Amino acid sequence: MQEEAWRTVRFGSLVRQVKDSTNPVQDGLERFVAGEHMDSRQLHITRWGEVKGSSLGPAFHRRFRPGQVLYGSRRTYLRKVAYAEFEGVCANTTFVMESADPGELIPDILPFLMMADSFHHHSKYWSRGSVNPYVNWPDIAKYEFLLPPPPEQRRIAELLWSFERASRAKAAALEAARQAELTALAELYDESEWPVRRVDEVGEVQLGMKREPKVHQGSDLRPYLRVANVGDDELFLDDVLEMNFAPSAFAKYALRPKDVLLNEGQSLEYVGRAAMYRGEIEDCCFQMTLLRFRASDEVLPEFALGWFRRCQRLGAFARVAKRTTSMAHLPAGLLSAQPIPVPPLSVQQRVVERLEAARGLRTALVEDLTQTRNLMQRTLNVLLQGPGASADRAIVAGADGIK
């Protein structure tokens, strides 16, 4: 019997956008998923909010169920595709999708179709707006791709879900290492005998440059970091923007290796989140959503970074932050006035060495997880190109990578 052929189809002909509305409190839903709960290039949802006690805005009325796929339609360059394993509510800017005909498009392959580079490029191409770009469902629905016959879909999905399970196991090991690191942060600084100073007494605190229309162009365009680029002890450099920094502004806002950057404006949970700039991007500056701490000779920059991370993770910054309706702020004056322990440099060095050991383990696990996800992405892209020898080679590579 002749094997069924692959065929070109439109995404919207096989995938349905689900628009089930809900009042999460009245309907007894327990969890909500916001944009920050969805991780780039990761199907598994590891974080969520509790509906009870939360003041969700009117945008949070889109109900999702297990087996459906969530897609962040804002800032699609972040590639946020998530597979729902529980019931909950999300904002209407998160698309909820499912297979319109499971006999033609098996549900297990849908999230991987949306993780493919070709889908991402289509979504990004049709996105509108510059500051907070978004894509509309009718434009997503126009995406065309090669659809394998159902038996081939199942084979591809089984392989890719094997990758996903391996990624999840490695992500669990990474989370355990993160928790051990946080325990170290809490314990290593818990010394009441250490002298305490104000932050601005042992370093310089500077707010970044304001982003306004007049700096969108000019002869001195330079890369800059903003709140979206700063995580907990890590910088996200896949999306670095540019604006004009005249020579005087560049002298004021240029970053140097070992500068510590903190989120000035963020959600209450993440305000004050800190990471170190290590010279990753030449001639890089920073924007006013961030604060820069430049250490004096009295404190090691790595020691200060550990202290700031401790303050953020234990809620010290959240307790003192200024709050608006949806944001929390840690102004330069407020950070400057915060206490910081300043033991002798030899003691600081011992603390830093312990933290670096924990950081080294975490970094190694991050690299291992990244390699697995990159291999999965390459295999996914090849498999969805259609039948051929290259796809067979990708299957072998995938099988080797997940043993």
Side-chain angles (χ1 to χ4, degrees), residues 267-375:
S267 62
L268 190 62
E269 180 183 2
Y270 298 121
V271 69
R273 192 162 59 172
M276 180 175 287
Y277 172 75
R278 304 175 190 270
E280 294 90 343
I281 300 175
E282 187 176 357
D283 292 341
C284 192
C285 301
F286 68 111
Q287 189 229 6
M288 70 178 299
T289 55
L290 297 176
L291 295 164
R292 180 188 65 196
F293 174 78
R294 182 168 288 166
S296 70
D297 293 338
E298 293 184 69
V299 63
L300 298 176
E302 297 87 352
F303 182 87
L305 171 63
W307 175 252
F308 293 145
R309 292 182 65 210
R310 183 183 193 271
C311 290
Q312 190 268 319
R313 296 307 294 257
L314 296 183
F317 287 152
R319 286 192 290 273
V320 301
K322 294 184 177 181
R323 306 182 191 185
T324 61
T325 304
S326 59
M327 294 285 288
H329 292 272
L330 186 67
L334 193 54
L335 175 62
S336 297
Q338 294 307 300
I340 182 172
V342 190
L345 289 176
S346 59
V347 175
Q348 293 184 38
Q349 184 60 42
R350 288 197 295 271
V351 171
V352 169
E353 288 172 358
R354 292 278 302 276
L355 292 178
E356 284 299 314
R359 186 177 191 273
L361 173 61
R362 168 170 54 85
T363 302
L365 290 170
V366 167
E367 183 177 349
D368 185 30
L369 177 58
T370 300
Q371 289 178 350
T372 298
R373 287 180 174 160
N374 287 344
L375 179 57

Side-chain angles (χ1 to χ4, degrees), residues 21-52:
S21 293
T22 180
N23 181 317
V25 175
Q26 292 180 1
D27 292 339
L29 298 180
E30 298 179 354
R31 300 174 181 178
F32 71 89
V33 172
E36 62 265 24
H37 298 137
M38 298 167 62
D39 294 317
S40 298
R41 302 172 182 265
Q42 180 176 323
L43 288 180
H44 185 46
I45 301 174
T46 59
R47 304 183 307 281
W48 53 81
E50 301 291 337
V51 171
K52 186 177 181 180

